[in-house]
């Protein structure tokens, strides 16, 4: 049976219960989410052919520290970087390095900032120069899948509503949904209850209640959904080497629907506008 609890302002550990947050927490998440979106917006003009993902990592760390925030991934469970940079067939958790990005690559940049104790978690896809139509279409499908998942969030719904909205759309577009990774609760914790699956059946899963915070972050493959984790213990890739894409937002369930904390004020979280910029 699912257990809910009013969130404590000092909670720093998972309790197995789903936390319900009040107005002050929403305000904190807006600030953290806005900062994450601002960094991702600035990267639109920064990321280009010839740039290394290590340079992106340094940019994000400097950005965070200059604003009295901290990258949540840095030293998290031994991870040594401020971002994850996942290129082409890398599904998630790609580690930055000095290898330059090439024309035609697609890269997901996933960052989380801790600001005043609150976590703003978001990721986007960046086309490197001119990309092929198959890659371009994958970005469009993945972003639309995310937005359909977000549109399914409302009090009285379930996490299964989110999963089915994503799965139905992605599979109708002849793409596949990765099942090995999922969204997660967050707030004062980086990863909390509940898990948010990106596939499922409407009406099943965890009930959605006002005050819940979580990420929705579908990973969509052009090929089959199976993935494997490389020997570094972090990098997940498609088994068939097909292209993979991911978009992520942090959201909160409101009394009437959903609030997206990490939406770009400039609209640059949408594939077409990001490319145009």
């Amino acid at each position: 049976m699912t257990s809910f609890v009013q969130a404590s302002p000092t909670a720093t550990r998972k309790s197995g219960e789903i936390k319900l947050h009040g107005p002050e927490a929403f305000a904190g998440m807006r600030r953290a989410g806005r900062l994450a979106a601002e960094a991702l917006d600035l990267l639109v003009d920064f990321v280009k052919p010839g740039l290394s993902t290590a340079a992106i990592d340094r940019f994000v760390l400097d950005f965070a520290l200059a604003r009295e925030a901290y990258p949540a991934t840095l030293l998290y469970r031994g991870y040594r970087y401020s971002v994850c940079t996942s290129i082409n067939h890398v599904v998630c958790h790609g580690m930055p390095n000095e290898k330059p990005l090439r024309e035609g690559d697609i890269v997901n940049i996933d960052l989380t900032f801790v600001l005043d104790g609150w976590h703003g978690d978001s990721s986007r896809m960046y086309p490197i120069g001119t990309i092929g139509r198959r890659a371009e279409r994958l970005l469009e499908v993945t972003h639309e899948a995310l937005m359909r998942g977000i549109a399914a969030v409302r009090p009285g719904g379930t996490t299964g509503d989110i999963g089915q909205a994503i799965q139905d759309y992605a599979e109708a577009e002849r793409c596949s949904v990765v099942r090995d990774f999922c969204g997660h609760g967050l707030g004062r914790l980086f990863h909390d209850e509940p898990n948010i699956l990106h596939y499922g059946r409407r009406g099943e899963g965890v009930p959605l209640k006002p005050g819940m915070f979580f990420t929705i972050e579908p990973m969509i493959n052009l090929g089959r959904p199976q993935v494997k984790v490389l020997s570094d213990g972090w990098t997940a890739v498609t088994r068939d080497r097909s292209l993979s894409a991911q978009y992520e937002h942090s959201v909160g369930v409101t009394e009437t629907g959903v609030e997206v904390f990490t939406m770009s004020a400039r609209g640059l979280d949408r594939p077409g506008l990001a490319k145009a910029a």
Side-chain angles (χ1 to χ4, degrees):
M1 182 176 178
T2 305
S3 178
F4 296 86
V5 63
Q6 290 298 317
S8 164
T10 59
T12 58
R13 302 179 69 178
K14 289 182 72 170
S15 65
E17 299 171 308
I18 297 172
K19 298 176 179 64
L20 302 179
H21 300 84
E24 290 186 10
F26 271 84
M29 289 296 288
R30 288 185 196 112
R31 292 192 296 272
R34 190 181 307 122
L35 191 65
E38 181 185 346
L40 292 171
D41 281 354
L42 291 175
L43 285 169
V44 170
D45 292 326
F46 184 70
V47 176
K48 59 189 65 178
L51 185 76
S52 72
T53 50
I56 296 171
D57 185 64
R58 291 190 289 269
F59 176 95
V60 169
L61 177 59
D62 290 345
F63 176 94
L65 296 180
R67 291 156 179 82
E68 300 185 341
Y70 188 81
T73 57
L74 187 58
L75 303 182
Y76 177 78
R77 297 183 178 178
Y79 190 77
R80 304 189 306 275
Y81 306 99
S82 299
V83 292
C84 297
T85 50
S86 302
I87 305 169
N88 296 335
H89 71 289
V90 178
V91 176
C92 62
H93 304 156
M95 295 190 289
N97 58 43
E98 296 294 344
K99 183 178 179 180
L101 294 165
R102 299 180 300 176
E103 182 89 12
D105 284 341
I106 57 173
V107 58
N108 175 271
I109 300 177
D110 187 349
L111 57 81
T112 305
F113 289 147
V114 187
L115 180 66
D116 300 327
W118 298 101
H119 289 73
D121 189 357
S122 187
S123 82
R124 299 182 201 166
M125 298 299 300
Y126 293 78
I128 307 305
T130 301
I131 63 174
R133 177 54 192 154
R134 281 167 56 82
E136 187 175 49
R137 176 177 169 273
L138 176 63
L139 269 56
E140 293 166 354
V141 168
T142 306
H143 182 265
E144 179 63 19
L146 167 64
M147 299 313 293
R148 290 186 182 217
I150 291 172
V153 178
R154 61 181 61 87
T158 70
T159 55
D161 300 351
I162 302 169
Q164 181 168 349
I166 292 168
Q167 182 182 5
D168 283 356
Y169 175 74
E171 293 180 353
E173 294 293 324
R174 302 184 304 281
C175 296
S176 63
V177 179
V178 172
R179 299 185 177 216
D180 297 66
F181 302 97
C182 61
H184 53 87
L186 83 170
R188 291 212 174 263
L189 299 183
F190 189 3
H191 294 100
D192 205 350
E193 306 294 345
N195 289 334
I196 305 296
L197 305 182
H198 303 119
Y199 60 92
R201 294 182 179 180
R202 188 168 290 109
E204 296 184 353
V206 175
L208 299 177
K209 295 189 175 185
M212 291 172 65
F213 295 160
F214 49 82
T215 68
I216 305 176
E217 47 185 297
M219 302 162 210
I220 307 296
N221 297 346
L222 272 182
R224 297 182 180 275
Q226 288 79 16
V227 308
K228 64 178 179 180
V229 177
L230 301 185
S231 59
D232 60 26
W234 288 100
T235 308
V237 301
T238 55
R239 284 189 174 273
D240 61 6
R241 303 283 294 185
S242 63
L243 291 177
S244 184
Q246 179 190 21
Y247 285 87
E248 174 185 13
H249 277 309
S250 297
V251 306
V253 184
T254 69
E255 295 290 341
T256 57
V258 61
E259 179 175 350
V260 182
F261 299 123
T262 49
M263 196 76 79
S264 166
R266 299 166 58 193
L268 298 180
D269 45 3
R270 307 205 315 261
L273 290 180
K275 183 177 180 183

